[in-house]
Amino acid sequence: MAKGHTDFQDRLKRIEKKGAGRNEVFNTGRWTAETGGRAKRACRLCFLKLPLSFLVGFLSFTGGQYTLFRAGGLPPEYALPDYELVAQAGMALVITFAVRLFLNLTGKSQFVMSVLGIAASITLMHNLVHIAPAQWSELFSPQWVDQIRKGTEPGTMLFRGETLYRLG
């Protein structure tokens, strides 16, 4: 064991003779002498973080709706749509925060893209129900799908019952 220790110390001395200090030898790849701080690692798939954040936001609104639907069913007739929207958006934010922490999407730009994904889901999700009503009726219920299809037009952006923009 002593032989291995002396060999290691001899190797460190040879490295130091070539110009590297002990700090650079022991912290290779983690510490940069020029900046005096941690070196940033190159991220190979960083370009996917923003679209992934948008998708997380978009799907979290659907997950929030699903969670609230399974917990309480269809909202009663006297329920205010604005309160329902706030509850669904709040649930979407909770889901978004949990998924973002799990996927390590903690940057400010990723948060903004997640919020934009939630906004896109709020205004555009009814179009997906019009495209594939059978799949949505399996996920939610046929009554829920009928309510969405009767209350909205396909190919529109809808917010609080008002058509914002016709897509087609």
Side-chain angles (χ1 to χ4, degrees), residues 8-112:
F8 180 71
Q9 292 299 323
D10 291 340
R11 183 161 189 250
L12 284 178
K13 288 177 186 173
R14 284 194 310 271
I15 292 172
E16 285 177 351
K17 282 183 185 177
K18 293 182 181 177
R22 276 199 186 267
N23 197 22
E24 288 91 10
V25 170
F26 287 111
N27 295 314
T28 303
R30 285 189 262 157
W31 185 269
T32 58
E34 299 84 27
T35 61
R38 284 192 168 278
K40 292 189 177 189
R41 291 184 295 162
C43 181
R44 293 182 195 164
L45 300 175
C46 284
F47 66 93
L48 292 176
K49 284 189 172 186
L50 292 179
L52 182 62
S53 297
F54 183 84
L55 185 65
V56 164
F58 194 91
L59 293 177
S60 68
F61 182 76
T62 305
Q65 275 191 323
Y66 181 76
T67 303
L68 291 174
F69 176 76
R70 289 297 172 195
L74 287 171
E77 293 291 325
Y78 58 85
L80 295 173
D82 290 340
Y83 291 142
E84 293 294 320
L85 179 65
V86 168
Q88 292 166 354
M91 183 63 75
L93 279 174
V94 169
I95 292 170
T96 298
F97 276 115
V99 173
R100 285 179 63 239
L101 287 175
F102 180 72
L103 295 177
N104 196 22
L105 301 171
T106 56
K108 291 178 186 175
S109 59
Q110 285 105 15
F111 176 70
V112 170

Side-chain angles (χ1 to χ4, degrees), residues 79-153:
L80 295 173
D82 290 340
Y83 291 142
E84 293 294 320
L85 179 65
V86 168
Q88 292 166 354
M91 183 63 75
L93 279 174
V94 169
I95 292 170
T96 298
F97 276 115
V99 173
R100 285 179 63 239
L101 287 175
F102 180 72
L103 295 177
N104 196 22
L105 301 171
T106 56
K108 291 178 186 175
S109 59
Q110 285 105 15
F111 176 70
V112 170
M113 287 303 287
S114 295
V115 170
L116 289 175
I118 291 171
S121 185
I122 289 171
T123 59
L124 297 172
M125 196 185 94
H126 67 280
N127 292 313
L128 298 175
V129 175
H130 283 284
I131 291 170
Q135 288 79 10
W136 287 96
S137 63
E138 288 178 16
L139 186 63
F140 287 90
S141 73
Q143 296 84 7
W144 183 85
V145 171
D146 288 340
Q147 183 181 4
I148 296 293
R149 292 184 78 193
K150 287 178 184 173
T152 62
E153 290 181 45

